[in-house]
Amino acid sequence: MSQAFRVPGRGRVDSARTVTFTFDGRRFQGQAGDTLASALLANGHHLMGRSFKYHRARGVVSAGSDEPNALVAVGSGPALQTPNLRATQVEVYEGLTAVSQNRFPCLQFDLGAVNTLAAPLLPAGFYYKTFMWPRSFWDRVYEPVIRRAAGLGVAPTAPDPDHYAFQYAHCDVLVAGAGPAGLAAALAAGRSGAQVILADETAEVGGSLLSDRTSRIDGRPAALWVADILAELAALPNVRVLTRCTAFNYGPHNMVALNQRLTEHLADPAPDMPRERLWQVRAKEVVLAAGALERPLVFEGNDRPGVMLASAAQTYLNRYGVACGKRAVIVTADDSAYRVALDLHAAGVTVAAIADLRPAPDSALMRAAQGAGLTVLPGTTIQRAHGSTRVHSVELARLLPDGSVGKGQHWRADLVLMSGGYTPSVHLFSQSRGKLAFDERLGVYIPGESAERERSAGACRGVYALADVLADGAAAGVAAAGAAGFAADAPSWAVDAADAPGRGGYAGALPRRGKGLLAMAFVDFQNDVTAKDVKLAVREGFRSIEHIKRYTTTGMATDQGKMSNVNALGIAADALGRPVEKVGLTTFRPPFTPVTFGAFASHARGDLFDPDRRTPIDPWARAQGAVFEDVSLWRRARYFPRGSEDMEAAVRRECLAVRGGVGIFDASTLGKIEVVGPDAATFMNRMYVNAWTKLGVGKCRYGLMCRENGFVYDDGVVGRIAQDRFHVTTTTGGAPGVLAMMEDYLQTEWPDLDVWLTSTTEEWAVIALQGPSARAVLAPLVDGLDISAEALPHMSLVEGTIGGVPMRLFRVSFTGELGFEINVPARQGRAVWEAIWDAGQAAGITPYGTETMHVLRAEKGYIIVGQETDGTATPDDAGCGWAVSKVKADFVGKRSLVLPAMQAPDRRQLVGLLTEAPWEVLEEGAQLVARPDEAIPMHVLGHVTSSYFSATLGRSIALAMVSGGRARVGETLHVPMEGRTIAVTVTKPVFYDVEGARLNV
Amino acid sequence: MLLIRCPYCGERSEIEFANGGEAHIARPADPMSQTDEEWAQYLYMRDNPKGLIAERWRHAHGCNRFFNALRDTRTDRFVMTYEMGRPRPEIDAATLAEAAR
Ligand SMILES: [Zn+2]
C-alpha cells in the first residue's frame, strides 16, 4: 500500500519526486513538498501519537501550527533528535527519521492507555489533590512517578552539534503572516518604497489561498494570484520575504522576535548553514495578518484518529493531494464545511452526511451541496465517534426544539470532519498588550484598541470573505507605510466565485442525550482536558477563567490553547451561568509556537557564552601549565604547579619563594582609571575617604572608596603622576562599577568640575615583582633609573623605561615584601615579563598566582573588598579607619559614617583567628559563637572571611568579621561544625612582620 | 526590549543602557548639616509611582552620558528624554493619556 490516498492531479506536491522516510521505524513514501502529516495520510496512516495523560490513540487534527496531537521527534542519535515538532509542519525529505511520542512500548498498543480506564479517578486537579502527603513521599515516590509518566517528548542528551544564527533587523513595516491579507499588505507597503519584512511560518506563502480551488482573483485561480504577488514582491529590493519563519513574540516598542528554520527541511544541508536564525526585528509599524483557526467540536470521542478539522481535510486534499478517508461524515456550525464537502465529493470521497448544528441553515453553499446530491441534516448534532486507533462510525442525533437531543443514529465513516467556526488568531496582538474586544456578531474575541504601533488585517480580526480580506490587507499596508512616512496607494483586485464563510460557529460542548458519566469529550487535546474537567472546576468553586485554566491545565500545553481556548471558555461560561464576554479570555503567552533552546542561545555557546578577558601574559602562563580561575570576566592564573604538585603544595612553595627570594605575578587585571584635569585632586577628595591634596607628585596612597551609605565599595593604590593627573587602580571586579559611580557624580552632581575619566584597564600590563631580591632583579633592566630605597621608597612611583619600553613604576606591595608593580603598555607586556623572567633566573624567580597572592596578603592582614567586606562594612569595620580623612568637610559616604548605627561598638570588626591545632584550617564562611554548648539557634557573633595554611608561619591563619571584635582580642570563640566545634583565639589581623620592617628596605 | 532615545546619540535598544534610578534628587550641598532624618530621606526614600516617573539612564554602551527620561511605569512608554540639569518638563494631559495607553 503506497500512497493509496493520493489524489492524482490535486495538490502542490511534486508528483515526480518521491521520497522515502521512516516513522516509528516503518518505511513510508511521500512526495517532495509533503509535510510528515500529509505524507502519512497519503498512506492512510492517521495514528500519529498518544495523548499526554490518558495515552489515548491520536491522529492529526489540523494541517498547521495549531496541531495539538501529532507531535513527533525528528532525527536520531543522542544529539540530533528534536522533540515536540508538529507533524503538520515537518517537511519530508529523503531519509527523514521521525518517531511518535508518549507511547510505551509502541504506538498501536500502549500500556499507559489503561489510564483511560482509570479516567474517572484522574479528574481535574488530581495531582494537586493526591500528591499532598506524606511529605516524605514528595521527592522519592511522587515526583519520579509523575516525571516518568508525564513529560512531553524526550530531550536530547548530548550537546547540540548544530549552530544557530542571530540577527537584529530594522524595518518600516513588518507583516506577520503571508496569507491573502498579509500579501496584500506587504505589496501595498512594498510599492511605497518602505523597507518591508514579510514573515510566514509555513514553507510557502499564500496561506488559505493554497487550499482554495474556488475563488478567482482578477479572473485567475487564487494560487496563481499568489505566484504573481510573490514574483512582484521578490522583485522589490526593499522587501524581504521570509518563509518557515514564525513571529513568536511581540515585545515592547515594536520589537518582534522571529524564528526562521533554515535546514530542518533539507536532507543534506550545507555543513556551515545555521539550523535556525533568531531575528529581533524593530519595526516602525507592524501589520498582523495571522489568520484564523478553525475550532473543533467537543463531543464524546472527538479525539479518535480520523476525526479532524474540516479545513484541514480541505488543505490535505487541495494543497497536498491527499484524501483523508474514503467515507466522510461532516458536522458543522459554519457554511465553510459545505465547500469542503463539495471539494471532497469532487475528488471521489464519499460524503455520507453533513450534520448542521444550526436548525435552519440556508446559504448558496448549502444548496450547492444539496444540488450535488449530498445529504444535509439540519438541526443535527454528533453524539459520539466510535473506534480506537481509527474512527469507524459515528452517532448523529436530532437537536429537538425543546433543547433536548433525540435518539442517535449510526453512520459509518472513516473520516469525521468538524467545523465549529473560526477563531481569529489574536495571539500576537494580545502579546503586544492590545485590548481584545468581544464581537457579538461572530461570538469571538477580536483585536480592539492597540497598545503598539500595529494593526490587524483579515481573518485575525474577523474579516473572512476573500474580497474583504484583500481590501483589508491592502488598507493595512497603506496605513502602516503611511505611518512610517511612505505614501502608498491601495492596490485592488476583483474577486469572484468566492465563498462567504465564518458567519456561523459554536463554542462549548455539544449537547448530548443522557448523562454520559464516562464520556470523554476533549477540549484541550494536548493536555487531555475534557469538558467534564472544566465543569468540575466550576463546581469546585473556581470562578476566574485564569484559575480554571491552571486547575484543569486547559490551554497550558505547547499549543497555548490555539484550538481549545474558546471552547473551554464556552463550557466555563455555561457552567458559571454567565455570558462568554463576561468570563474573559486567559492571557496569551509567548512563544506562539515552541522555539528551540538552540535558537535562543544562538552564538552564545562554549567560548562565546561569556566574554573571556585575558591578559597579555596569559599565553605565557598557559605555556607554564598554570591552573586558572575566573575572576569576574577575567581568566587569572591561580597557581603554577610543578610536576605532580597539587594546589596546596604549589602555593606553599610559591609563598616561600616570594618571602625568601623573588616572585613574579600578573596583576594586569587590576582596574585602572586615569583621572585628569585641573580639578582632579578636588574630585578625588570627594570620591575617596582619603585626603589627596597633599599627596605629592610621584607618591602613592592606598585609596578607599565608600558609597553614599558609608559602606566600603572599592579600594586600590592611587598614584599621583602629575599635579592634575592620578593613576587610580581598582579591584579586578570593581572597575566598571567604580568608573560608573565616578561618572555619575561627575556628570550629575558636580558638572562644574573640570575632570576627565578614562578607563585604562586594558592599556596597561601590570607585572608585580615581589620579594627581598626584587630590586636586584629589576635594577639592571630599567635603563639607568635609580630605584634605590632612597630614590624610590615604599609608596612612591616613577616614570621611566624598561628595555626602552615606557613604564610607570610603582613601589608598592600587596605581599608585605619589597615590591614593584611595573606598568607597561599592554602590547609590550609579554616581552617585558619575559625579560624580567630571564633576568630573574639567577635569583630563582618564581611565578605565582592569585591563590598565593591571597595567602601572602592575609598574612599581612590586607583586606580584599568583597571577601572581608560584604557591602555592610564601614572603613572602620574593615580595620581601615586610619585611611579616612578627619579634615575633609565632605566626601561620598562621610555623612552616613556619623549615623549612630555606624558607630555602634558591637559592629562586626576585622580580626585574626588562630586555631589551637596549627594544621587546622577553618572553613571560609564558618560562623563564630561565644559558647560551644549554646542552644540552637545560637547567637552568631561573626564569620570567617579568609582562611589559609601559611607556609611562612607554619600554621593556619584566618581573618574574620566579629561583633565588637577589636575588644575581643585574646578571647576564645568557637566555630560550630558538623559534629564538633573548633575553638579559636581572637587576634589582631596582622600575622607577619607587624611593624612592616620588610617593606621599608 | 525597550527603545530609548539618548539625547546625544538617538534611539538605541535598551540593552545599551543602565537605569540610574529616580531623577531630580540632588545631593545636599552640605551633607554634614543634614539631620539624620533628612539624610535618610535623601539616601533611601524613592517614589514608586504607578504612572509617570522621571528617572536617570546612562548610555553605558554608547556615549556613557547620563540623561533623564519620563516613562510611564504601567506601559513602559517614554514620553521624552532630556539632558541632565534641565528641570522636569511639564507634560500635558493628552500626552499623559497617550503614555498610559
Ligand atoms: Zn548616547
Side-chain angles (χ1 to χ4, degrees):
Chain A
M1 185 190 74
S2 180
Q3 305 196 50
F5 288 81
R6 190 70 71 181
V7 182
R10 285 287 182 98
R12 305 173 60 77
V13 297
D14 187 346
S15 56
R17 281 173 56 212
T18 301
V19 297
T20 304
F21 63 95
T22 66
F23 178 68
D24 282 345
R26 219 178 115 194
R27 285 161 64 86
F28 288 95
Q29 287 192 332
Q31 303 304 128
D34 262 327
T35 64
L36 179 59
S38 69
L40 287 170
L41 290 171
N43 289 280
H45 193 95
H46 274 255
L47 179 59
M48 294 189 200
R50 286 272 171 179
S51 75
F52 180 61
K53 187 163 146 192
Y54 300 122
H55 288 240
R56 283 166 72 100
R58 289 281 166 83
V60 68
V61 185
S62 82
S65 66
D66 50 339
E67 175 58 35
N69 284 344
L71 298 185
V72 298
V74 171
S76 56
L80 289 163
Q81 197 171 71
T82 307
N84 294 329
L85 295 176
R86 291 151 300 281
T88 51
Q89 287 187 298
V90 173
E91 297 169 55
V92 296
Y93 51 81
E94 186 65 33
L96 171 81
T97 307
V99 293
S100 58
Q101 297 184 168
N102 294 338
R103 64 194 163 80
F104 179 78
C106 73
L107 197 52
Q108 288 289 333
F109 174 74
D110 185 312
L111 288 175
V114 295
N115 279 3
T116 295
L117 303 177
L121 308 174
L122 294 171
F126 172 73
Y127 293 102
Y128 298 130
K129 289 167 185 162
T130 308
F131 300 116
M132 301 269 286
W133 48 265
R135 169 70 183 86
S136 60
F137 270 40
W138 286 358
D139 302 339
R140 271 168 287 170
V141 182
Y142 295 147
E143 191 180 316
V145 168
I146 294 170
R147 283 201 185 282
R148 198 179 162 282
L152 207 53
V154 180
T157 53
D160 190 339
D162 291 315
H163 74 280
Y164 298 78
F166 182 89
Q167 184 149 356
Y168 279 106
H170 294 260
C171 67
D172 296 311
V173 179
L174 170 70
V175 182
L183 285 171
L187 190 71
R191 283 179 178 172
S192 76
Q195 294 291 327
V196 176
I197 294 178
L198 172 64
D200 193 276
E201 62 176 347
T202 66
E204 206 181 353
V205 305
S208 61
L209 296 180
L210 300 179
S211 312
D212 185 344
R213 284 172 53 88
T214 308
S215 307
R216 293 283 183 280
I217 307 175
D218 284 348
R220 310 244 294 151
L224 293 181
W225 179 85
V226 170
D228 294 345
I229 301 297
L230 182 60
E232 184 175 348
L233 289 174
L236 288 171
N238 53 317
V239 176
R240 185 176 352 221
V241 180
L242 302 171
T243 54
R244 301 184 181 90
C245 186
T246 308
F248 67 90
N249 181 45
Y250 200 133
H253 298 185
N254 262 12
M255 183 163 252
V256 181
L258 317 175
N259 182 36
Q260 186 183 14
R261 298 172 298 283
L262 297 166
T263 63
E264 211 170 79
H265 60 290
L266 301 173
D268 275 310
D272 56 348
M273 273 278 276
R275 183 162 177 262
E276 295 174 23
R277 178 178 291 125
L278 194 76
W279 294 77
Q280 290 273 35
V281 179
R282 184 79 75 180
K284 286 205 181 99
E285 299 290 331
V286 171
V287 176
L288 298 175
L293 299 170
E294 197 170 24
R295 285 196 297 283
L297 296 169
V298 181
F299 58 90
E300 183 179 349
N302 63 344
D303 63 327
R304 297 301 185 195
V307 181
M308 60 201 297
L309 296 172
S311 60
Q314 186 180 34
T315 295
Y316 287 118
L317 179 63
N318 293 340
R319 182 164 174 182
Y320 299 102
V322 174
C324 291
K326 292 189 166 136
R327 186 180 165 85
V329 165
I330 299 175
V331 187
T332 187
D334 184 64
D335 286 343
S336 58
Y338 288 99
R339 175 58 64 195
V340 181
L342 286 165
D343 282 358
L344 289 171
H345 179 67
V349 176
T350 303
V351 177
I354 305 169
D356 197 319
L357 292 158
R358 298 169 294 181
D362 183 34
S363 68
L365 257 180
M366 191 200 79
R367 288 190 296 276
Q370 284 170 325
L374 303 183
T375 305
V376 176
L377 307 170
T380 301
T381 184
I382 183 167
Q383 285 293 280
R384 58 185 64 87
H386 296 286
S388 60
T389 57
R390 179 71 186 266
V391 66
H392 57 66
S393 63
V394 297
E395 215 175 303
L396 301 180
R398 292 279 297 169
L399 286 163
L400 301 174
D402 64 355
S404 65
V405 176
K407 212 163 156 14
Q409 231 188 342
H410 271 272
W411 292 76
R412 250 181 343 99
D414 65 350
L415 180 63
V416 178
L417 302 182
M418 46 187 176
S419 177
Y422 281 84
T423 306
S425 187
V426 294
H427 295 70
L428 287 173
F429 173 79
S430 183
Q431 286 177 19
S432 80
R433 296 191 307 105
K435 286 194 185 68
L436 294 169
F438 190 75
D439 187 304
E440 300 268 0
R441 189 176 53 95
L442 297 171
V444 292
Y445 283 91
I446 59 171
E449 200 186 349
S450 294
E452 293 283 351
R453 296 176 70 91
E454 54 74 41
R455 71 274 308 136
S456 295
C460 70
R461 69 180 198 103
V463 175
Y464 296 131
L466 183 55
D468 299 343
V469 169
L470 292 176
D472 201 35
V478 168
F486 295 85
D489 295 318
S492 68
W493 299 277
V495 176
D496 41 38
D499 298 328
R503 287 177 303 185
Y506 195 91
L510 294 183
R512 55 172 295 122
R513 185 182 174 86
K515 284 199 166 137
L517 289 175
L518 294 174
M520 298 183 89
F522 287 88
V523 179
D524 184 323
F525 292 107
Q526 201 176 96
N527 268 357
D528 265 354
V529 180
T530 64
K532 263 189 305 195
D533 290 329
V534 179
K535 288 179 197 159
L536 177 67
V538 172
R539 271 212 308 282
E540 293 190 355
F542 292 93
R543 290 292 175 269
S544 153
I545 191 70
E546 291 283 359
H547 291 157
I548 292 168
K549 166 178 164 175
R550 280 156 186 76
Y551 192 60
T552 63
T553 73
T554 189
M556 287 173 68
T558 64
D559 61 351
Q560 282 284 297
K562 289 185 183 69
M563 276 194 189
S564 60
N565 276 351
V566 171
N567 280 332
L569 181 62
I571 297 166
D574 191 43
L576 288 165
R578 279 190 271 162
V580 165
E581 63 271 30
K582 292 278 183 280
V583 177
L585 264 187
T586 55
T587 314
F588 292 92
R589 295 182 195 288
F592 177 70
T593 48
V595 180
T596 61
F597 282 114
F600 284 123
S602 182
H603 302 296
R605 298 170 60 183
D607 286 346
L608 299 180
F609 177 67
D610 222 8
D612 191 18
R613 301 179 76 180
R614 298 180 188 181
T615 74
I617 292 130
D618 182 274
W620 185 92
R622 266 170 80 86
Q624 293 285 316
V627 176
F628 291 87
E629 67 171 338
D630 291 333
V631 181
S632 65
L633 292 176
W634 287 99
R635 187 171 82 171
R636 301 196 74 178
R638 193 174 188 192
Y639 59 98
F640 291 81
R642 273 188 196 161
S644 59
E645 275 181 343
D646 60 7
M647 183 171 85
E648 202 180 308
V651 169
R652 284 184 195 205
R653 175 181 50 72
E654 290 173 14
C655 284
L656 294 173
V658 174
R659 296 258 183 253
V662 62
I664 186 167
F665 174 72
D666 181 5
S668 303
T669 64
L670 278 181
K672 300 164 213 75
I673 300 166
E674 196 90 341
V675 178
V676 185
D679 297 320
T682 306
F683 180 71
M684 290 296 291
N685 276 332
R686 294 185 191 178
M687 291 306 303
Y688 280 81
V689 304
N690 320 68
W692 301 96
T693 311
K694 288 183 185 154
L695 182 72
V697 171
K699 296 293 177 200
C700 307
R701 180 164 288 167
Y702 170 75
L704 193 65
M705 175 182 267
C706 286
R707 279 146 85 93
E708 201 69 273
N709 60 15
F711 296 127
V712 171
Y713 183 56
D714 201 79
D715 69 349
V717 169
V718 177
R720 193 162 195 172
I721 306 293
Q723 204 58 33
D724 63 351
R725 180 178 293 264
F726 290 86
H727 178 123
V728 174
T729 67
T730 74
T731 58
T732 292
V738 171
L739 183 62
M741 180 168 149
M742 286 182 168
E743 286 285 0
D744 190 344
Y745 280 93
L746 186 58
Q747 290 183 35
T748 71
E749 299 294 349
W750 310 314
D752 52 311
L753 293 186
D754 193 356
V755 176
W756 293 89
L757 306 172
T758 308
S759 168
T760 53
T761 301
E762 307 236 358
E763 312 307 316
W764 296 107
V766 184
I767 302 160
L769 197 61
Q770 302 278 315
S773 310
R775 185 182 289 123
V777 171
L778 185 61
L781 302 175
V782 292
D783 304 340
L785 199 65
D786 183 0
I787 59 167
S788 66
E790 297 70 35
L792 191 66
H794 182 51
M795 296 306 270
S796 58
L797 70 89
V798 64
E799 290 184 279
T801 59
I802 178 165
V805 176
M807 161 184 74
R808 284 181 182 172
L809 179 62
F810 286 67
R811 166 93 195 268
V812 290
S813 172
F814 198 45
T815 60
E817 301 296 331
L818 166 67
F820 300 90
E821 286 184 3
I822 302 136
N823 289 253
V824 291
R827 62 187 170 279
Q828 272 105 27
R830 174 137 183 218
V832 172
W833 173 283
E834 288 186 19
I836 298 171
W837 173 250
D838 291 342
Q841 288 308 307
I845 190 169
T846 302
Y848 67 97
T850 51
E851 196 65 25
T852 290
M853 177 266 282
H854 283 155
V855 177
L856 297 173
R857 64 89 205 176
E859 289 169 351
K860 288 291 293 178
Y862 298 151
I863 63 163
I864 288 182
V865 171
Q867 184 158 342
E868 271 62 57
T869 69
D870 60 1
T872 65
T874 65
D876 186 59
D877 296 343
C880 300
W882 55 267
V884 183
S885 163
K886 309 283 187 295
V887 298
K888 287 196 295 183
D890 186 20
F891 57 80
V892 173
K894 181 177 170 79
R895 177 62 185 85
S896 293
L897 289 174
V898 297
L899 289 169
M902 307 293 262
Q903 318 244 344
D906 62 346
R907 291 189 64 81
R908 291 190 176 187
Q909 296 166 336
L910 181 73
V911 294
L913 299 177
L914 290 175
T915 54
E916 259 166 42
W919 45 263
E920 177 112 62
V921 179
L922 297 172
E923 280 193 28
E924 289 178 355
Q927 304 290 303
L928 291 155
V929 298
R931 298 197 328 271
D933 54 353
E934 209 176 315
I936 293 170
M938 295 171 148
H939 179 65
V940 173
L941 293 174
H943 67 280
V944 177
T945 58
S946 294
S947 177
Y948 309 97
F949 187 85
S950 162
T952 309
L953 301 169
R955 61 151 304 131
S956 66
I957 55 166
L959 297 173
M961 295 296 282
V962 175
S963 176
R966 283 198 285 274
R968 291 182 188 270
V969 170
E971 270 184 35
T972 299
L973 295 178
H974 300 273
V975 179
M977 298 299 290
E978 195 155 5
R980 65 189 185 121
T981 56
I982 304 164
V984 292
T985 306
V986 179
T987 68
K988 290 187 172 175
V990 185
F991 300 96
Y992 183 68
D993 186 28
V994 178
E995 61 283 1
R998 301 179 69 84
L999 285 170
N1000 297 305
V1001 292
Chain B
M1 200 184 319
L2 307 182
L3 191 61
I4 302 175
R5 179 180 294 279
C6 169
Y8 309 99
C9 306
E11 284 188 329
R12 296 287 191 279
S13 272
E14 179 188 354
I15 197 170
E16 295 186 11
F17 296 86
N19 185 285
E22 195 180 340
H24 302 297
I25 297 175
R27 187 173 188 268
D30 179 12
M32 295 310 283
S33 68
Q34 299 266 300
T35 65
D36 289 353
E37 287 70 29
E38 287 167 341
W39 185 247
Q41 188 73 27
Y42 159 71
L43 263 190
Y44 297 114
M45 302 312 284
R46 296 291 181 270
D47 272 353
N48 185 18
K50 183 179 179 184
L52 207 63
I53 188 173
E55 61 188 0
R56 305 164 351 129
W57 288 86
R58 180 169 62 97
H59 194 184
H61 299 284
C63 63
N64 203 23
R65 292 181 75 170
F66 280 82
F67 59 91
N68 289 330
L70 291 176
R71 177 177 62 93
D72 192 305
T73 57
R74 294 164 294 186
T75 61
D76 275 346
R77 269 185 220 284
F78 285 87
V79 171
M80 66 179 299
T81 56
Y82 52 102
E83 295 86 347
M84 276 292 155
R86 276 182 56 193
R88 177 174 173 155
E90 290 298 323
I91 302 301
D92 61 73
T95 310
L96 276 180
E98 174 63 22
R101 193 170 64 80

